[in-house]
Amino acid sequence: MINAGIIIIDKHGRDNVSLLFPIFENYLNKKASDEEKYDLVREGAVIFTGALAKHLAKDDPEVHAVVKLLDVLNTPSEAVQRAVSFCLSPLMQSKKDDAPALVSRLLDQLMNSDKYGERRGAAFGLAGVVKGYGISCSKKYGITAAIRESLADRSSVRHREGAQLAFECFCETLGKLFEPYVIQMLLYFWFLSLTKL
Protein backbone atom coordinates (compact mmCIF):
# COMPACT_ATOMS: atom_id res chain seq x y z
CA MET A 1 0.00 0.00 0.00
CA ILE A 2 2.81 2.40 0.84
CA ASN A 3 4.56 1.76 -2.47
CA ALA A 4 1.28 2.29 -4.34
CA GLY A 5 0.72 5.55 -2.45
CA ILE A 6 4.21 6.78 -3.31
CA ILE A 7 3.67 6.00 -7.00
CA ILE A 8 0.37 7.92 -6.96
CA ILE A 9 1.98 10.89 -5.18
CA ASP A 10 4.89 10.87 -7.64
CA LYS A 11 2.48 11.01 -10.60
CA HIS A 12 -0.24 13.31 -9.25
CA GLY A 13 1.25 14.99 -6.18
CA ARG A 14 2.34 18.20 -7.87
CA ASP A 15 -1.25 19.03 -8.83
CA ASN A 16 -2.73 18.07 -5.46
CA VAL A 17 -0.31 19.43 -2.87
CA SER A 18 -2.84 21.77 -1.27
CA LEU A 19 -5.40 18.97 -1.04
CA LEU A 20 -3.13 16.25 0.37
CA PHE A 21 -1.01 18.17 2.91
CA PRO A 22 -3.88 18.89 5.33
CA ILE A 23 -4.94 15.23 5.20
CA PHE A 24 -1.46 13.98 6.08
CA GLU A 25 -1.00 16.65 8.79
CA ASN A 26 -4.28 15.55 10.35
CA TYR A 27 -3.02 11.97 10.61
CA LEU A 28 0.32 13.11 12.01
CA ASN A 29 -1.32 15.26 14.71
CA LYS A 30 -4.07 12.83 15.68
CA LYS A 31 -3.91 11.01 19.01
CA ALA A 32 -5.18 7.45 18.96
CA SER A 33 -6.56 5.18 21.65
CA ASP A 34 -4.27 2.36 20.49
CA GLU A 35 -0.94 4.03 19.71
CA GLU A 36 0.74 0.79 18.68
CA LYS A 37 -1.73 0.13 15.85
CA TYR A 38 -1.81 3.80 14.89
CA ASP A 39 1.97 3.82 14.45
CA LEU A 40 1.49 2.02 11.13
CA VAL A 41 -0.87 4.79 9.98
CA ARG A 42 1.55 7.45 11.25
CA GLU A 43 4.45 5.77 9.44
CA GLY A 44 2.49 5.87 6.19
CA ALA A 45 1.54 9.52 6.72
CA VAL A 46 5.20 10.40 7.31
CA ILE A 47 6.33 8.60 4.15
CA PHE A 48 3.57 10.20 2.08
CA THR A 49 4.37 13.65 3.50
CA GLY A 50 8.00 13.18 2.52
CA ALA A 51 7.02 11.99 -0.96
CA LEU A 52 4.69 14.96 -1.38
CA ALA A 53 7.31 17.41 -0.10
CA LYS A 54 9.53 16.57 -3.07
CA HIS A 55 7.02 18.47 -5.22
CA LEU A 56 7.35 21.69 -3.21
CA ALA A 57 9.40 24.67 -4.27
CA LYS A 58 12.16 25.64 -1.84
CA ASP A 59 10.35 28.85 -0.90
CA ASP A 60 6.92 27.21 -0.50
CA PRO A 61 5.44 27.86 2.97
CA GLU A 62 4.44 24.20 3.25
CA VAL A 63 8.15 23.29 3.61
CA HIS A 64 8.01 24.84 7.07
CA ALA A 65 5.08 22.58 7.90
CA VAL A 66 7.07 19.56 6.79
CA VAL A 67 9.70 20.30 9.41
CA LYS A 68 6.94 19.45 11.89
CA LEU A 69 8.12 15.95 11.12
CA LEU A 70 10.76 16.60 13.78
CA ASP A 71 7.98 16.47 16.39
CA VAL A 72 6.96 13.04 15.09
CA LEU A 73 10.45 11.80 16.02
CA ASN A 74 9.21 11.63 19.62
CA THR A 75 6.91 8.76 18.64
CA PRO A 76 8.41 5.68 20.33
CA SER A 77 8.26 3.62 17.14
CA GLU A 78 11.47 2.83 15.31
CA ALA A 79 9.64 2.39 11.99
CA VAL A 80 8.12 5.87 12.26
CA GLN A 81 11.44 7.41 13.33
CA ARG A 82 13.26 5.72 10.46
CA ALA A 83 10.62 7.00 8.01
CA VAL A 84 11.02 10.56 9.32
CA SER A 85 14.80 10.33 8.93
CA PHE A 86 14.40 9.17 5.34
CA CYS A 87 11.93 11.98 4.55
CA LEU A 88 13.96 14.75 6.20
CA SER A 89 17.02 14.32 3.98
CA PRO A 90 15.63 15.78 0.75
CA LEU A 91 13.93 18.66 2.61
CA MET A 92 17.05 19.99 4.27
CA GLN A 93 18.38 21.88 1.24
CA SER A 94 15.47 24.29 1.53
CA LYS A 95 16.10 24.80 5.27
CA LYS A 96 19.80 25.77 5.19
CA ASP A 97 19.18 28.92 7.22
CA ASP A 98 17.71 26.86 10.05
CA ALA A 99 20.55 24.31 10.15
CA PRO A 100 22.27 25.46 13.37
CA ALA A 101 18.97 25.60 15.27
CA LEU A 102 17.84 22.17 13.97
CA VAL A 103 21.15 20.54 14.81
CA SER A 104 21.27 22.17 18.25
CA ARG A 105 17.71 21.06 19.03
CA LEU A 106 18.38 17.47 17.97
CA LEU A 107 21.72 17.26 19.81
CA ASP A 108 20.11 18.59 22.99
CA GLN A 109 17.31 16.04 22.75
CA LEU A 110 19.79 13.27 21.93
CA MET A 111 21.94 13.93 24.97
CA ASN A 112 19.47 15.21 27.57
CA SER A 113 16.03 13.68 27.03
CA ASP A 114 14.73 11.51 29.87
CA LYS A 115 13.07 9.06 27.48
CA TYR A 116 14.99 6.49 25.47
CA GLY A 117 12.51 6.69 22.56
CA GLU A 118 13.02 10.45 22.24
CA ARG A 119 16.81 10.07 22.27
CA ARG A 120 16.61 7.37 19.59
CA GLY A 121 14.27 9.57 17.53
CA ALA A 122 16.72 12.45 17.81
CA ALA A 123 19.51 10.16 16.59
CA PHE A 124 17.46 9.19 13.53
CA GLY A 125 16.55 12.84 12.93
CA LEU A 126 20.14 13.98 13.23
CA ALA A 127 21.24 11.32 10.75
CA GLY A 128 18.58 12.47 8.29
CA VAL A 129 19.58 16.10 8.73
CA VAL A 130 23.28 15.30 8.18
CA LYS A 131 22.46 13.28 5.08
CA GLY A 132 20.36 16.17 3.76
CA TYR A 133 22.92 18.91 4.41
CA GLY A 134 25.89 16.74 3.49
CA ILE A 135 28.47 14.95 5.63
CA SER A 136 30.56 18.11 5.93
CA CYS A 137 27.89 19.66 8.18
CA SER A 138 28.78 17.15 10.91
CA LYS A 139 32.06 19.01 11.37
CA LYS A 140 30.71 22.46 10.51
CA TYR A 141 28.03 22.35 13.23
CA GLY A 142 30.12 20.47 15.78
CA ILE A 143 28.17 17.21 15.62
CA THR A 144 31.25 15.00 15.46
CA ALA A 145 32.88 16.85 18.36
CA ALA A 146 29.70 16.60 20.44
CA ILE A 147 29.46 12.85 19.83
CA ARG A 148 33.14 12.38 20.66
CA GLU A 149 32.81 14.37 23.91
CA SER A 150 29.66 12.51 24.89
CA LEU A 151 31.25 9.11 24.31
CA ALA A 152 34.12 10.09 26.59
CA ASP A 153 31.83 11.55 29.29
CA ARG A 154 32.10 9.12 32.20
CA SER A 155 29.69 11.11 34.38
CA SER A 156 26.57 10.82 32.19
CA VAL A 157 25.08 7.56 31.00
CA ARG A 158 22.58 9.47 28.88
CA HIS A 159 25.32 11.26 26.99
CA ARG A 160 27.18 8.03 26.23
CA GLU A 161 24.00 6.26 25.20
CA GLY A 162 22.90 9.19 23.03
CA ALA A 163 26.27 9.27 21.31
CA GLN A 164 26.11 5.54 20.63
CA LEU A 165 22.58 5.89 19.23
CA ALA A 166 23.79 8.68 16.94
CA PHE A 167 26.76 6.58 15.88
CA GLU A 168 24.44 3.66 15.03
CA CYS A 169 21.96 5.80 13.08
CA PHE A 170 24.73 7.61 11.20
CA CYS A 171 26.27 4.29 10.14
CA GLU A 172 22.88 3.03 8.99
CA THR A 173 21.73 6.21 7.24
CA LEU A 174 24.99 7.49 5.78
CA GLY A 175 26.64 4.13 5.07
CA LYS A 176 30.03 4.45 3.38
CA LEU A 177 29.99 8.24 3.69
CA PHE A 178 30.40 7.83 7.43
CA GLU A 179 33.26 5.29 7.33
CA PRO A 180 36.12 7.84 7.64
CA TYR A 181 34.45 9.21 10.77
CA VAL A 182 34.08 5.69 12.17
CA ILE A 183 37.79 5.04 11.67
CA GLN A 184 38.64 8.43 13.20
CA MET A 185 36.47 7.68 16.27
CA LEU A 186 37.94 4.20 16.71
CA LEU A 187 41.49 5.58 16.54
CA TYR A 188 40.55 8.29 19.04
CA PHE A 189 39.24 5.76 21.55
CA TRP A 190 42.16 3.41 20.98
CA PHE A 191 44.52 6.31 21.75
CA LEU A 192 42.36 7.31 24.74
CA SER A 193 42.56 3.77 26.13
CA LEU A 194 46.36 3.76 25.74
CA THR A 195 46.71 7.01 27.68
CA LYS A 196 44.60 5.56 30.54
CA LEU A 197 47.01 2.61 30.98
Side-chain angles (χ1 to χ4, degrees):
M1 293 296 287
I2 287 176
N3 290 337
I6 291 172
I7 290 169
I8 290 169
I9 290 170
D10 285 344
K11 286 192 177 210
H12 304 288
R14 185 176 312 280
D15 301 328
N16 297 296
V17 170
S18 60
L19 172 73
L20 294 174
F21 256 117
I23 295 170
F24 298 149
E25 278 186 14
N26 181 39
Y27 280 106
L28 289 174
N29 296 331
K30 191 184 288 185
K31 297 290 181 197
S33 57
D34 185 0
E35 286 291 326
E36 189 174 324
K37 287 182 182 176
Y38 194 72
D39 280 347
L40 294 172
V41 174
R42 192 174 284 126
E43 178 185 2
V46 165
I47 291 170
F48 293 157
T49 301
L52 189 59
K54 293 174 190 171
H55 296 291
L56 297 174
K58 290 184 178 184
D59 58 344
D60 193 310
E62 289 291 340
V63 171
H64 298 293
V66 173
V67 178
K68 289 181 183 175
L69 289 174
L70 291 173
D71 296 332
V72 181
L73 286 170
N74 293 336
T75 303
S77 166
E78 186 174 331
V80 172
Q81 292 169 344
R82 188 172 273 123
V84 171
S85 177
F86 178 75
C87 292
L88 279 176
S89 298
L91 301 174
M92 290 299 103
Q93 291 304 316
S94 61
K95 302 294 289 175
K96 282 192 175 187
D97 297 338
D98 300 336
L102 286 173
V103 168
S104 177
R105 173 183 169 188
L106 289 168
L107 277 173
D108 182 59
Q109 187 174 346
L110 178 67
M111 301 305 174
N112 299 317
S113 178
D114 292 335
K115 298 178 181 174
Y116 173 81
E118 289 179 4
R119 287 196 307 274
R120 187 157 181 83
F124 273 113
L126 200 57
V129 166
V130 168
K131 185 174 184 180
Y133 287 134
I135 192 77
S136 62
C137 86
S138 64
K139 190 169 188 174
K140 181 178 180 181
Y141 299 120
I143 298 169
T144 308
I147 291 173
R148 187 180 298 136
E149 289 171 17
S150 296
L151 281 170
D153 186 359
R154 301 235 184 252
S155 64
S156 176
V157 173
R158 278 193 202 133
H159 285 197
R160 289 192 310 272
E161 183 180 50
Q164 290 172 354
L165 289 171
F167 202 67
E168 173 192 351
C169 292
F170 278 29
C171 287
E172 179 182 326
T173 304
L174 301 172
K176 290 184 178 189
L177 289 174
F178 195 60
E179 280 181 13
Y181 290 95
V182 173
I183 293 168
Q184 182 185 21
M185 293 278 195
L186 291 174
L187 288 173
Y188 171 77
F189 284 105
W190 176 71
F191 179 74
L192 193 64
S193 66
L194 288 178
T195 59
K196 302 262 184 200
L197 295 177

